[in-house]
């Protein structure tokens, strides 16, 4: 059998989503770090796999694939292991709706506008753009309200089995809760906070920790 390679970065949210899918399915793979954020831009050889320069990209023999949604669904449908998508149309649609919301209205404000400003920019001696952070928060609250409402009393975001919706939400929220604003917002949704704690204990979360040398992520 050909081996699976994932081109990406350990610190990248979308790389982690694909890794979580591989880990949950218990599939062997190799993470190959590609520094798309280098001053010179993505390495030219990477652009041959993905001309848009975003990560991750999956390689399986001669087959290569970029766009995390396509990668995760391929992993789930191609390989044996625990299913990561509901079979029934309504929960499957809800899962896809959550993924759409996370892609369209969450990733940029949550990770770039709040986390990067609050943690990365200030951590390197700069001044956070407070206006950018303030503008991001109302939308992020709406995102959490929606996810919390749909989840109800279920163990995971869509029903009582883990799905791709959980694997998408976790890495974004994991960065968000490192900020004061994110931690406070999540605490105002106690059930979602508990879901986060449960996600954090999973072997897949530990195996894909963002933080070098830290397998526990006991940061909140
Ligand atoms: N639509 C892409 C988005 C992936 C994405 O934005 N990845 C980030 C890293 S977490 C990235 O490559 N950013 C660089 C850029 O946008 O140029 C996907 O689903 O894979």
């Amino acid at each position: 059998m050909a081996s699976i390679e994932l081109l990406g970065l350990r610190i990248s949210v979308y790389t982690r989503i694909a890794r979580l899918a591989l880990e949950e399915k218990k599939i062997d793979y190799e993470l190959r770090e590609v520094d798309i954020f280098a001053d010179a831009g993505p390495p030219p050889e990477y652009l041959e796999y993905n001309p848009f320069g975003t990560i991750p990209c999956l390689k399986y023999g001669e087959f290569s694939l970029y766009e995390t949604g396509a990668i995760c669904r391929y992993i789930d449908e191609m390989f044996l292991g625990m299913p990561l998508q509901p079979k029934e149309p309504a929960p499957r649609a809800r899962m896809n709706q959550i993924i759409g919301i996370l892609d369209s209205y969450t990733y940029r404000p949550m990770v770039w506008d709040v986390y990067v400003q609050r943690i990365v920019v200030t951590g390197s001696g700069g001044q956070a753009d407070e206006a950018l952070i303030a503008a991001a928060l109302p939308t992020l609250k709406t995102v959490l309200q929606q996810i919390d409402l749909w989840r109800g009393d279920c163990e995971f975001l869509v029903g009582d089995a883990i799905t791709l919706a959980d694997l998408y939400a976790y890495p974004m929220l994991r960065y968000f809760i490192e900020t004061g604003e994110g931690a406070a917002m999540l605490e105002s949704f106690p059930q979602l906070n508990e879901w986060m704690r449960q996600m954090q204990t999973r072997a897949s979360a530990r195996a894909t920790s963002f933080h070098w040398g830290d397998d526990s992520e006991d940061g909140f």
Side-chain angles (χ1 to χ4, degrees):
M1 193 167 104
S3 59
I4 295 175
E5 287 176 295
L6 192 70
L7 314 184
L9 280 174
R10 185 177 174 173
I11 57 162
S12 136
V13 162
Y14 280 95
T15 302
R16 192 177 193 187
I17 295 167
R19 293 182 72 201
L20 286 169
L22 289 160
E23 296 281 344
E24 289 289 343
K25 300 284 282 191
K26 302 203 185 317
I27 296 168
D28 282 338
Y29 68 98
E30 187 193 339
L31 175 66
R32 271 180 45 202
E33 298 258 333
V34 177
D35 189 4
I36 58 155
F37 297 115
D39 290 343
E45 59 274 18
Y46 182 68
L47 294 175
E48 287 175 24
Y49 291 111
N50 177 358
F52 299 102
T54 57
I55 48 176
C57 175
L58 180 105
K59 277 183 70 192
Y60 183 44
E62 295 300 302
F63 182 64
S64 75
L65 189 66
Y66 60 86
E67 282 303 302
T68 308
I71 293 171
C72 288
R73 291 173 180 93
Y74 174 76
I75 290 167
D76 190 35
E77 289 157 19
M78 177 74 184
F79 301 101
L80 295 174
M82 185 175 60
L84 297 174
Q85 303 175 89
K87 289 220 172 348
E88 292 301 312
R92 197 176 177 100
R94 184 70 79 210
M95 177 197 76
N96 285 323
Q97 183 182 27
I98 291 173
I99 291 172
I101 287 171
L102 293 168
D103 275 335
S104 304
Y105 316 126
T106 312
Y107 169 66
R108 213 134 264 284
M110 191 172 270
V111 177
W112 288 94
D113 298 352
V114 181
Y115 172 78
V116 170
Q117 286 299 320
R118 186 60 81 219
I119 306 293
V120 182
V121 171
T122 56
S124 45
Q127 283 240 309
D129 183 336
E130 297 296 338
L132 201 60
I133 294 173
L137 295 175
T139 305
L140 297 177
K141 189 163 184 198
T142 305
V143 169
L144 296 195
Q145 277 167 340
Q146 286 288 273
I147 291 177
D148 192 51
L149 177 77
W150 292 326
R151 179 174 170 240
D153 293 329
C154 297
E155 196 180 337
F156 293 98
L157 296 187
V158 183
D160 288 323
I162 198 162
T163 71
L164 296 180
D166 301 283
L167 306 190
Y168 261 74
Y170 176 69
M172 296 186 195
L173 282 162
R174 185 62 192 81
Y175 270 150
F176 192 44
I177 59 167
E178 286 187 33
T179 69
E181 290 87 349
M185 194 183 287
L186 198 68
E187 266 166 31
S188 69
F189 294 93
Q191 287 183 304
L192 218 43
N193 208 18
E194 182 50 32
W195 163 85
M196 192 70 189
R197 285 183 193 283
Q198 294 305 323
M199 286 297 293
Q200 195 151 271
T201 65
R202 294 182 80 83
S204 63
R206 290 176 184 274
T208 60
S209 169
F210 282 125
H211 305 289
W212 292 103
D214 171 15
D215 290 337
S216 66
E217 285 198 343
D218 286 338
F220 85 115

